[in-house]
Amino acid sequence: MKFLVIEDNPDIVDTVSLCFELRWPEVEIISAVEGGQGLKLFKAESPDVIILDLGLPDMDGFDVLKKVRSSSNVPVVILTVRGDEMDKVRGLELGADDYITKPFSHIELLARIKAVLRRTRLPEFKTGEKPFRSPGLTIDFSTRTVTVRGQPISLTPIEYNLLHYLVVNEGTVLTHWALLEKVWGEEYTDSSEYLKVYIQRLRNKLEADPSNPRFLISERGIGYKFVRPPSD
């Protein structure tokens, strides 16, 4: 596997490189000290994971993330000193898969990246699972094709996993804890901002009016449920 580290602090790059050399030697680390250089390596090397700092000398890390997400769903882990909640939410909204605040431990970094890789891999095809059909939404689980109002849409692996879990439990209120544990992993059960961001991303893709959802319904203080709206 190949990981791209976009980070202007050589000490951080050395720390990350040593971490993987000691604990995950199969990973090859390549690095860039500027966002522009990182984007060139991203296109040339097709890394399996990007570890991205936000405070780069030539451009904001969020802009790097936008450019990556315009063409790829490669897992991106933000590694930054910016611990503000709004920065974290913005990173997730722009498509980051995780957000780690410096200083960090080797064990945390390894665990979080392994968790990201685990959840960004789509589940195996389930050929025996019948397609879901309702007014305005069709899901073919055997091909992972999601069609909204007659048009196919693209979902990231995490978006698909979240939608799949909600749909197969149609009508059941699933708690925030259960959704986070199932889709992100047990180490994320207190990270409610991840769930809120991805529910909104799904609503933006599925709902005719995301502010008045018909499929993905909130149960305040509890969780979410998927409902099949009546025929219009």
Side-chain angles (χ1 to χ4, degrees), residues 88-172:
K88 185 173 186 179
V89 170
R90 185 183 178 199
L92 295 172
E93 288 176 341
L94 291 175
D97 296 281
D98 209 340
Y99 193 106
I100 303 173
T101 304
K102 302 172 184 174
F104 61 95
S105 72
H106 293 182
I107 293 175
E108 178 190 16
L109 179 63
L110 284 166
R112 299 290 278 265
I113 289 179
K114 287 182 178 180
V116 163
L117 287 170
R118 185 175 64 246
R119 65 178 177 262
T120 53
R121 294 191 180 105
L122 284 166
E124 294 183 4
F125 288 107
K126 297 183 178 180
T127 55
E129 202 166 6
K130 294 181 180 180
F132 171 88
R133 293 185 176 89
S134 76
L137 177 64
T138 301
I139 305 172
D140 187 335
F141 297 109
S142 66
T143 62
R144 303 189 188 102
T145 302
V146 181
T147 304
V148 176
R149 294 178 291 281
Q151 298 297 320
I153 64 166
S154 176
L155 297 181
T156 68
I158 296 177
E159 289 169 350
Y160 178 85
N161 290 345
L162 179 57
L163 178 62
H164 179 271
Y165 189 52
L166 284 161
V167 170
V168 298
N169 290 282
E170 178 187 349
T172 301

Side-chain angles (χ1 to χ4, degrees), residues 11-204:
D11 291 336
I12 297 293
V13 175
D14 289 345
T15 297
V16 172
S17 299
L18 181 60
C19 169
F20 285 99
E21 180 181 341
L22 294 175
R23 296 181 177 272
W24 200 351
E26 297 84 3
V27 172
E28 176 188 355
I29 297 293
I30 56 176
S31 64
V33 297
E34 294 184 340
Q37 180 190 10
L39 289 169
K40 290 180 181 178
L41 283 175
F42 157 66
K43 293 178 181 179
E45 299 289 340
S46 299
D48 298 286
V49 174
I50 295 176
I51 301 172
L52 174 64
D53 184 25
L54 295 180
L56 300 169
D58 61 331
M59 60 193 299
D60 190 84
F62 287 134
D63 292 328
V64 176
L65 178 57
K66 290 177 186 177
K67 291 182 180 296
V68 169
R69 279 290 168 262
S70 69
S71 63
S72 173
N73 283 328
V74 61
V76 176
V77 175
I78 292 176
L79 184 62
T80 179
V81 295
R82 298 188 199 173
D84 184 78
E85 189 72 14
M86 293 303 296
D87 281 329
K88 185 173 186 179
V89 170
R90 185 183 178 199
L92 295 172
E93 288 176 341
L94 291 175
D97 296 281
D98 209 340
Y99 193 106
I100 303 173
T101 304
K102 302 172 184 174
F104 61 95
S105 72
H106 293 182
I107 293 175
E108 178 190 16
L109 179 63
L110 284 166
R112 299 290 278 265
I113 289 179
K114 287 182 178 180
V116 163
L117 287 170
R118 185 175 64 246
R119 65 178 177 262
T120 53
R121 294 191 180 105
L122 284 166
E124 294 183 4
F125 288 107
K126 297 183 178 180
T127 55
E129 202 166 6
K130 294 181 180 180
F132 171 88
R133 293 185 176 89
S134 76
L137 177 64
T138 301
I139 305 172
D140 187 335
F141 297 109
S142 66
T143 62
R144 303 189 188 102
T145 302
V146 181
T147 304
V148 176
R149 294 178 291 281
Q151 298 297 320
I153 64 166
S154 176
L155 297 181
T156 68
I158 296 177
E159 289 169 350
Y160 178 85
N161 290 345
L162 179 57
L163 178 62
H164 179 271
Y165 189 52
L166 284 161
V167 170
V168 298
N169 290 282
E170 178 187 349
T172 301
V173 178
L174 301 174
T175 65
H176 300 133
W177 186 94
L179 288 165
L180 287 163
E181 194 277 335
K182 180 67 176 181
V183 178
W184 280 268
E186 60 184 12
E187 60 269 62
Y188 291 84
T189 52
D190 292 327
S191 301
S192 60
E193 64 274 15
Y194 287 76
L195 183 56
K196 291 177 183 177
V197 167
Y198 273 85
I199 287 289
Q200 189 58 49
R201 284 168 60 168
L202 280 176
R203 283 174 171 164
N204 290 338

